[in-house]
Amino acid sequence: MFRDLVVKNRSYRGFDENCRIDRETLLELVDLTRFTAASANLQPLKYFVASEKEIVDQIQPLTKWAGSLSHLNLPYPGTRPTAFIVICQDENISASVGMLKDVGIVAQTITLGAAEKGLGCCMIGSFELAALKKLLNLPEKIEPKLVIALGKPAETIVLTDAEDGKTTYYRDEAGIHYVPKRKLEDILL
Amino acid sequence: MFRDLVVKNRSYRGFDENCRIDRETLLELVDLTRFTAASANLQPLKYFVASEKEIVDQIQPLTKWAGSLSHLNLPYPGTRPTAFIVICQDENISASVGMLKDVGIVAQTITLGAAEKGLGCCMIGSFELAALKKLLNLPEKIEPKLVIALGKPAETIVLTDAEDGKTTYYRDEAGIHYVPKRKLEDILL
């Protein structure tokens, strides 16, 4: 059932580094985005896929993970992602900020597709933009909007009900990651 | 397979008005969004669900469909959606424009969930904001960001490959709706 896939699709910040992801798998995930809704059907989003260890290891230090647990410097050495997909907006096609909706649409599609394959992802909105553009040698007006890290999940995530509107995620001593989600009654108008 | 669901999940602009959608079904779809990734886990998105004919019929004229086919005034009378989900941003929690990514994430999740149920949706980014806020009697700082129309699909949509970067959708004399999507090679960096 689709609901099971949505629940399975967690934001992972620890991976099995022995499990590499090949370029073909990343292309299958990007291909899914071709069939998603697009604002005015403009489709300004383009994708840099990184599966080779050399480039993956260069992207990793430019990404900033888990702002609420920044003291942990996640992901820990030895548990880093083994692939990245960088979602970029081709501003020659559209420079509209509204395309951030499209970014979310395709990002959710990619991560659900990855979850079906037994992979885990983390959407990363915080990264060193200028350095990333330089590293990926992106043409002018190709603007990275979201980085998706991928790998074989190697951590435990537990969803909880958010109480009193508190949604900050946290970890216990065993490293289990807890994510408070608002209850249905709290998100209905 | 998830890919089949993504392909099935088209943007419909014509529905069977005899097929009503009950509130429980809409709540199941909104409930899916509780399990999606959220920027910094803030979850500022809230949902107005409309299943009663009276309110659905009042929302409909405030929405603007299919900008590239505006002369057709879609959806045609007798083929209008039978439900709406209005995705709003609670700016008391976050007023960041970056939350548009979250809007896309939840919208894609809702429409995929609807597709699994045999329903069809259309994400509508163009609507009469002030009138909609007034109609729904939204509290201050609850800002509609995207309207999802839902119904039982009653039209045929055909995906084609975009040639020479032309992505404008169109209809033939039989009313079949064609949607050119960029090829994989054209969206890879």
Side-chain angles (χ1 to χ4, degrees):
Chain A
M1 245 189 97
F2 178 61
R3 182 188 167 93
D4 299 325
L5 187 63
V6 175
V7 172
K8 183 181 178 186
N9 183 30
R10 308 271 34 97
S11 296
Y12 290 99
R13 298 174 184 88
F15 305 92
D16 177 352
E17 285 193 16
N18 294 315
C19 177
R20 305 297 308 180
I21 300 174
D22 60 23
R23 181 176 170 84
E24 194 53 45
T25 299
L26 299 179
L27 295 187
E28 281 177 27
L29 296 175
V30 170
D31 193 54
L32 291 175
T33 71
R34 298 177 52 239
F35 308 107
T36 61
S39 301
N41 204 38
L42 286 173
Q43 309 163 63
L45 302 181
K46 301 200 168 169
Y47 305 84
F48 185 98
V49 303
S51 59
E52 296 290 331
K53 189 171 187 310
E54 186 181 346
I55 182 71
V56 169
D57 288 351
Q58 288 176 291
I59 294 173
Q60 172 58 38
L62 304 181
T63 58
K64 298 169 193 172
W65 297 56
S68 299
L69 294 171
S70 56
H71 60 288
L72 295 180
N73 289 312
L74 296 169
Y76 298 123
T79 70
R80 293 188 171 140
T82 54
F84 285 103
I85 296 174
V86 181
I87 303 173
C88 301
Q89 182 169 347
D90 183 343
E91 295 192 346
N92 298 293
I93 298 172
S94 171
S96 166
V97 70
M99 290 300 167
L100 287 178
K101 280 184 278 202
D102 293 50
V103 171
I105 291 168
V106 302
Q108 179 69 343
T109 305
I110 287 171
T111 61
L112 287 166
E116 185 188 51
K117 292 176 184 291
L119 299 174
C121 298
C122 191
M123 298 184 198
I124 303 168
S126 182
F127 46 83
E128 293 181 33
L129 179 61
L132 185 63
K133 288 172 70 171
K134 188 174 174 190
L135 173 65
L136 305 186
N137 197 23
L138 296 179
E140 211 171 333
K141 293 197 170 188
I142 303 290
E143 292 293 323
K145 295 295 177 182
L146 191 71
V147 175
I148 299 180
L150 303 96
K152 186 182 169 193
E155 61 179 13
T156 302
I157 297 174
V158 176
L159 297 176
T160 67
D161 279 342
E163 301 295 345
D164 302 323
K166 290 176 187 159
T167 59
T168 307
Y169 50 85
Y170 55 95
R171 298 199 165 199
D172 66 12
E173 289 168 4
I176 293 174
H177 186 89
Y178 296 88
V179 186
K181 291 296 191 185
R182 296 187 197 279
K183 299 173 213 173
L184 180 59
E185 66 214 54
D186 294 334
I187 60 174
L188 290 176
L189 292 168
Chain B
M1 245 189 98
F2 178 61
R3 183 189 167 94
D4 298 326
L5 187 63
V6 174
V7 172
K8 184 181 179 187
N9 182 30
R10 307 272 34 96
S11 296
Y12 290 98
R13 298 173 185 88
F15 305 92
D16 178 352
E17 285 193 17
N18 294 315
C19 177
R20 305 296 309 178
I21 300 174
D22 60 23
R23 181 175 170 85
E24 194 54 44
T25 298
L26 299 179
L27 295 188
E28 280 177 28
L29 295 174
V30 170
D31 194 54
L32 291 175
T33 71
R34 299 176 52 239
F35 308 107
T36 61
S39 301
N41 204 39
L42 285 174
Q43 308 164 63
L45 302 181
K46 300 198 169 170
Y47 305 84
F48 185 97
V49 304
S51 59
E52 296 291 331
K53 188 171 187 311
E54 186 180 348
I55 182 71
V56 169
D57 287 351
Q58 288 176 292
I59 293 173
Q60 172 59 37
L62 304 181
T63 56
K64 299 169 191 170
W65 297 56
S68 299
L69 294 170
S70 57
H71 60 288
L72 295 181
N73 288 312
L74 297 170
Y76 298 124
T79 69
R80 293 190 171 139
T82 55
F84 285 104
I85 296 174
V86 181
I87 304 173
C88 301
Q89 182 169 346
D90 183 342
E91 297 191 345
N92 298 293
I93 297 172
S94 170
S96 167
V97 71
M99 290 300 167
L100 287 177
K101 280 183 279 199
D102 292 51
V103 170
I105 290 169
V106 301
Q108 179 69 343
T109 305
I110 287 171
T111 61
L112 287 166
E116 185 188 51
K117 292 176 185 291
L119 300 174
C121 298
C122 191
M123 298 184 198
I124 303 169
S126 181
F127 47 83
E128 294 181 32
L129 179 61
L132 185 63
K133 287 171 70 170
K134 189 175 175 191
L135 173 66
L136 306 186
N137 197 24
L138 296 180
E140 212 171 333
K141 294 198 169 185
I142 303 290
E143 294 292 323
K145 296 295 176 181
L146 191 71
V147 175
I148 300 181
L150 303 96
K152 186 182 168 193
E155 61 178 14
T156 302
I157 298 174
V158 176
L159 296 176
T160 66
D161 279 341
E163 301 293 345
D164 303 323
K166 291 176 186 159
T167 60
T168 307
Y169 49 84
Y170 56 95
R171 296 196 166 202
D172 66 14
E173 290 168 4
I176 294 174
H177 186 89
Y178 296 87
V179 186
K181 292 295 190 186
R182 296 187 197 280
K183 300 173 213 172
L184 180 59
E185 66 213 55
D186 293 334
I187 60 173
L188 290 176
L189 293 168

